[in-house]
Amino acid sequence: MKEALRLARWSAEEGEVPVGAVLLDAGGAIVGRGRNLRESRADPLAHAEIEAMRDAAHCADRGSWNLDGCTLVVTLEPCPMCAGAILETHIGCVVFGAWDAKLGACGSVWDILRDPHVGHKPQVVGGVMEDECARVLGDFFLRRREGPFGRGRIPGSAHATRYSG
């Protein structure tokens, strides 16, 4: 999770929503890295999870879209699009930090990965380093709101354990 947080902070420095992800092979080695790049690439699909999956699939050692046996570690609960990609790539385990009360698809708003109608069911572990992951996101949006065109601080904690944007 520490490497995913480093990638998330890097995204924040570049004005991207700070989400980072790493993909680990069965032995725990990082085989893919990703961070949110939607703004800089003008690509609506450039979520951290998708970028980590692409990186791993193109890794010389893997050379396959099938990521069975891999673990995805991401700072924010995956959205429905990323949950679908997790299922399609056969990732075996998903570990995430902050819960997403708006678009979370791994237990908060939806539970796509454990839906009884879906064949592949990866293991899901949420809330890992949750406070730190939520803080990175909350601080980013607080700075954005208080920036030159912001509307000031929005009531409520920027460091809530359940991230809600």
Side-chain angles (χ1 to χ4, degrees):
M1 186 62 77
K2 289 180 182 179
E3 176 63 6
L5 275 164
R6 184 188 72 77
L7 293 165
R9 289 184 183 106
W10 183 9
S11 284
E13 289 170 9
E14 295 183 354
E16 299 276 3
V17 174
V19 179
V22 293
L23 205 67
L24 310 173
D25 67 12
I30 295 175
V31 294
R33 287 178 171 81
R35 59 191 183 90
N36 196 5
L37 296 169
R38 289 178 6 154
E39 299 300 328
S40 61
R41 290 194 181 160
D43 180 354
L45 306 180
H47 288 206
E49 300 95 321
I50 301 296
E51 294 301 312
M53 288 180 228
R54 285 177 176 156
D55 191 36
H58 294 121
C59 173
D61 294 340
R62 290 202 70 83
S64 173
W65 61 266
N66 190 331
L67 302 173
D68 183 40
C70 289
T71 297
L72 177 69
V73 179
V74 61
T75 57
L76 179 64
E77 179 183 7
C79 71
M81 176 186 71
C82 292
I86 290 163
L87 293 174
E88 290 296 324
T89 57
H90 303 192
I91 288 173
C93 181
V94 176
V95 176
F96 65 88
W99 295 85
D100 186 345
K102 288 184 177 180
L103 284 172
C106 299
S108 61
V109 179
W110 300 281
D111 202 352
I112 292 172
L113 299 183
R114 292 178 282 209
D115 187 292
H117 301 95
V118 176
H120 176 67
K121 289 190 178 27
Q123 180 183 4
V124 178
V125 179
V128 174
M129 295 180 69
E130 180 177 0
D131 291 339
E132 190 169 351
C133 292
R135 188 172 16 265
V136 169
L137 286 155
D139 289 349
F140 173 81
F141 285 108
L142 182 61
R143 282 191 306 275
R144 181 180 273 183
R145 284 186 215 106
E146 291 178 344
F149 303 106
R151 290 176 240 143
R153 186 177 184 130
I154 292 177
S157 172
H159 306 296
T161 55
R162 285 203 180 250
Y163 171 72
S164 62

